[in-house]
Amino acid sequence: MALTGMDIYKMLPKKNCKECGFPTCLAFAMKLAQGGVEAEKCPYMSEEAKMKLAEATAPLMKTVKFGSGDKTYTLGGETVLFRHEKTFVNRNRFAVMLKDTMSDDEINQKIANMNKVNYVRIGENMFVEVAAVKCESKNKDQYLKLLKKVKDECKLAVPMIITDDPEIAKAAVEEVKDLGPILYGANPQNYEAMVNIAKENNLLLGVEADNLEALYDVVSKIRSGGYNELILSTKADKAKQLFDDIVNIRRTALVAQDRVFGYPSVVFVNNLSSDKFMQLAYATLFVEKYGSIIVLDEIDYSLALPLFALRQNIFTDPQKPMRVEKGLYKIGPAEENAPLLVTVDFALTYFIVSGEIERSKVPAWLLIPDAGGLSVLTAWAAGKFSGKTIADAVKEMGVEEKLKTREILIPGKVAVLKPDIEDALPGWKVVVGPEEAEMLPKFLKDYTNR
Ligand code: B12
C-alpha cells in the first residue's frame, strides 16, 4: 500500500533542518507522499528508512521486459486507468497461438503469415511480436520440435513457452533461451519449480490460476519468495469473466494500490471464440482495457490493420500532439534541382506523404511549415496552412539559398492556395499536385520527365 505523508513523517529524523528546501519535516513528508520530491533530498534519513521509502514509492505496476537485442519489449509500468488522465506508457504486444498438436500445414501457414504481416505506419514497425507456442501434446520431443521450428523460421516473434510441466519447461527454455522467451504456465501446483527455472534464466514468468482469488494467493507466494518478473492471467474462457478479471487486476493495482496485482496481463482471446472476426472484436476491447499480451489464433492484414492502428492511437501520449518538426526534409539523394513539395506537420500526413515519395523513387525535398500539427484541410480551415505560412517556411528554412528550383508542389486539396502562395513568393511557380498522396509516385515520375 502507498505510504501517507504521516507514515513518511514517522520515518524522518524530525530535525526541521530545512536543508531539503522545505520549512519542516512534515511539509517535506507531505510532498514526498505526493511524489513531488525525492527522498534523497533529506540528508539525515537512515538507510533503512530510505529502502522502505523506495519500495513504497515505487510505481504500483511493475515494468517488465522480455525478448533480446532489438526485439526487447517492455510491458506494464502503467500509472493511470484511463489514457486521458495522463498517458499509457507501454503498448500491448500481439501474439499468435501455435500448438504442437497442429498439422505441419497449419503451422507453416501461421508462421508464413507472421513473417508476412510486417509494415510501417506513422514511423512504427507493425508485426506480431510474440509466438505463443503451446505444449498440448504433453510430449517433450514433439513440443521441442515445434519450438525449434519457431526459433528457426519465425523471423520476427519472440517465443512464449506455454506449458505447466516444469520438466518440459526446462528443456524448452534451454532450446530458446537466447531469444529471451516468456515462460508461461506457473500455477498454484507447480509455481516453485517454475519460479526456479525463470529465476535461473532471468525470464518473465506467466502465472495463471482458475480465478482471481487463487491467482492472488499464488502471486503473493511467488512475491514473498522474492521473484518479481511476472505477467498474470486467469483461465476464464468467457468474454465477460475474462474482461472482469483483467480489469480487476489493473484496478486492484492502481486503485486499491495493492502491488500483488501490479503486473501486466496475458489475454487469450483465441479461447473466447473460434471466429476470426469475433477474436478481432475481443482483441480491440483488450487493447483498450488492459491486455498486455493479446493472443490470437492467426494474423493477416484484415486483423492487423485495424488492431495495430488502434494500438498506435491508444498508446500515443495525448499530452503531445502527433506532429513532426517543421523543416526542409531530404527524401532520397535529392540535389538542388530535385522537386520540392510542401505538406503539413501532422505526423500521419507527413509519414503518408514521405512514404509515397520514397515509393516513387524520385529524390525530392519536403517542406514542413508549422501548421499546428493538423491535417491539410484542417490546418487550411484553421488558417495555419496558407500562402503566408508556406512563404514564411520557405524563407525560414533558407529554401532559396539551398535549392535552385523555384517550383513548389502543393496538395491537390488546397489548390485554392495557388494564387496566395505565388503572391507571397515572387518568382515562384506553384504546381498543384494530386489530392491523395497515393497518386504521388505516378505524378512525380510524369513531373520529372516533362
Ligand atoms: Co477537421 N475538418 N476541423 N478536425 N477534420 C476537416 C478537415 C473537414 C474537411 C471536415 C468537413 O467539414 N467535411 C473540414 C474542412 C472543410 C474545408 O474547409 N474544406 C474541417 C474543419 C472545418 C475543421 C475545423 C475548422 C472545425 C471548427 O473548429 N469549426 C477545426 C479546425 C482546427 C482548429 O484548430 N481550429 C477542425 C478540427 C479538427 C480536429 C477535431 C482537431 C481534427 C484534427 C486532427 C489533426 O489534424 N491532427 C480534425 C479532423 C480529424 C478532420 C477530418 C475528419 C480528418 C482529417 C485527417 O486526419 N485527414 C477531416 C475530414 C476528412 O478529411 N475526411 C475534417 C487525414 C490526413 C492524412 O489527410 O492531411 O489531407 P491530409 O493528407 C492527405 C492529402 O491531403 C494528401 O495526402 C494525404 C493522404 O492522401 N497530401 C498531399 C498531403 N500532403 C500532400 C502534399 C502534396 C504535395 C500532395 C500532392 C498531396
Side-chain angles (χ1 to χ4, degrees):
M1 300 282 167
L3 293 183
T4 64
M6 282 316 284
D7 297 331
I8 297 174
Y9 179 63
K10 286 179 200 152
M11 293 184 208
L12 296 179
K14 300 184 199 66
K15 282 170 170 274
N16 291 333
C17 67
K18 303 189 181 59
E19 288 177 47
C20 58
F22 290 85
T24 61
C25 289
L26 184 60
F28 175 68
M30 294 299 170
K31 200 73 186 169
L32 194 56
Q34 295 162 6
V37 64
E38 308 268 300
E40 304 299 313
K41 290 268 178 212
C42 173
Y44 303 107
M45 200 185 297
S46 70
E47 281 310 310
E48 191 197 337
K50 271 189 198 159
M51 266 178 57
K52 266 195 185 166
L53 265 174
E55 208 174 288
T57 50
L60 292 162
M61 188 182 182
K62 184 139 173 47
T63 302
V64 298
K65 283 196 160 83
F66 69 97
S68 68
D70 64 348
K71 299 210 169 40
T72 303
Y73 302 105
T74 308
L75 302 172
E78 301 300 340
T79 57
V80 290
L81 279 184
F82 305 104
R83 173 186 183 266
H84 60 264
E85 286 179 83
K86 192 172 178 201
T87 178
F88 289 158
V89 287
N90 284 308
R91 63 199 51 223
N92 71 275
R93 302 294 170 179
F94 292 105
V96 165
M97 176 59 83
L98 302 162
K99 297 178 183 168
D100 63 353
T101 47
M102 287 172 177
S103 71
D104 284 353
D105 282 354
E106 199 175 348
I107 296 283
N108 288 338
Q109 184 59 49
K110 282 177 196 272
I111 294 181
N113 277 353
M114 287 167 80
N115 290 335
K116 186 170 135 199
V117 176
N118 179 14
Y119 60 99
V120 177
R121 182 178 192 269
I122 318 187
E124 186 188 336
N125 292 316
M126 305 294 193
F127 55 84
V128 166
E129 296 92 352
V130 181
V133 191
K134 186 170 184 185
C135 175
E136 197 135 275
S137 66
K138 313 260 179 226
N139 178 313
K140 185 159 86 181
D141 294 336
Q142 191 168 329
Y143 183 58
L144 291 184
K145 195 174 143 223
L146 172 61
L147 207 54
K148 189 168 181 325
K149 185 176 172 70
V150 170
K151 180 179 163 186
D152 293 342
E153 293 177 24
C154 249
K155 297 194 181 77
L156 301 164
V158 176
M160 172 158 78
I161 297 165
I162 306 182
T163 175
D164 58 8
D165 180 332
E167 200 200 313
I168 297 180
K170 204 168 179 158
V173 167
E174 221 28 66
E175 182 66 49
V176 291
K177 66 179 174 196
D178 296 347
L179 304 176
I182 300 167
L183 173 58
Y184 183 94
N187 59 36
Q189 288 75 44
N190 70 7
Y191 72 91
E192 282 165 317
M194 295 294 268
V195 167
N196 283 340
I197 303 169
K199 219 182 226 172
E200 270 165 31
N201 296 281
N202 202 13
L203 299 182
L204 181 57
L205 179 65
V207 188
E208 67 174 10
D210 289 339
N211 53 50
L212 283 189
E213 289 71 26
L215 186 67
Y216 191 91
D217 188 54
V218 66
V219 174
S220 303
K221 287 178 182 151
I222 295 175
R223 279 167 56 88
S224 37
Y227 207 61
N228 223 354
E229 302 304 309
L230 308 178
I231 182 160
L232 314 182
S233 192
T234 66
K235 285 187 174 162
D237 58 4
K238 295 277 175 297
K240 184 177 180 304
Q241 188 61 51
L242 185 60
F243 185 66
D244 265 14
D245 288 352
I246 298 301
V247 170
N248 274 328
I249 289 173
R250 184 68 61 90
R251 292 187 69 86
T252 304
L254 298 188
V255 181
Q257 306 198 338
D258 186 339
R259 287 189 169 77
V260 174
F261 274 173
Y263 299 96
S265 60
V266 184
V267 177
F268 293 92
V269 296
N270 62 315
N271 288 340
L272 301 180
S273 168
S274 54
D275 181 84
K276 170 175 154 180
F277 291 111
M278 276 311 289
Q279 287 188 23
L280 168 64
Y282 288 132
T284 60
L285 183 68
F286 288 106
V287 168
E288 286 160 23
K289 278 194 162 105
Y290 299 119
S292 307
I293 292 184
I294 299 175
V295 186
L296 301 155
D297 265 332
E298 59 183 311
I299 194 71
D300 61 22
Y301 277 98
S302 70
L303 295 169
L305 292 173
L307 279 178
F308 289 128
L310 174 69
R311 176 178 77 176
Q312 194 172 35
N313 284 340
I314 298 290
F315 287 89
T316 48
D317 184 346
Q319 302 159 117
K320 292 187 201 139
M322 287 183 67
R323 62 196 292 187
V324 291
E325 284 292 309
K326 62 181 178 180
L328 180 64
Y329 290 78
K330 185 175 180 173
I331 301 187
E335 35 64 56
E336 54 192 12
N337 283 312
L340 170 68
L341 298 88
V342 63
T343 189
V344 286
D345 57 351
F346 179 35
L348 180 61
T349 305
Y350 170 81
F351 282 106
I352 294 175
V353 174
S354 59
E356 293 297 344
I357 299 175
E358 275 171 29
R359 201 163 66 87
S360 76
K361 307 238 173 349
V362 175
W365 298 92
L366 186 55
L367 179 68
I368 308 289
D370 176 353
L374 297 170
S375 80
V376 168
L377 276 181
T378 321
W380 175 76
K384 294 185 174 166
F385 195 52
S386 63
K388 182 174 176 335
T389 55
I390 295 172
D392 286 351
V394 166
K395 286 175 194 138
E396 190 186 340
M397 309 307 161
V399 176
E400 293 189 336
E401 293 76 51
K402 288 180 189 151
L403 309 186
K404 283 210 173 122
T405 182
R406 292 295 180 263
E407 281 190 5
I408 186 161
L409 256 142
I410 65 167
K413 284 184 184 170
V414 285
V416 63
L417 284 179
K418 181 175 158 71
D420 292 356
I421 303 171
E422 286 176 350
D423 278 355
L425 281 176
W428 279 75
K429 183 180 165 208
V430 170
V431 178
V432 177
E435 291 211 348
E436 298 300 336
E438 67 174 352
M439 286 138 80
L440 266 172
K442 179 173 182 322
F443 185 89
L444 277 176
K445 276 181 202 134
D446 295 346
Y447 177 69
T448 45
N449 292 332
R450 284 170 304 172

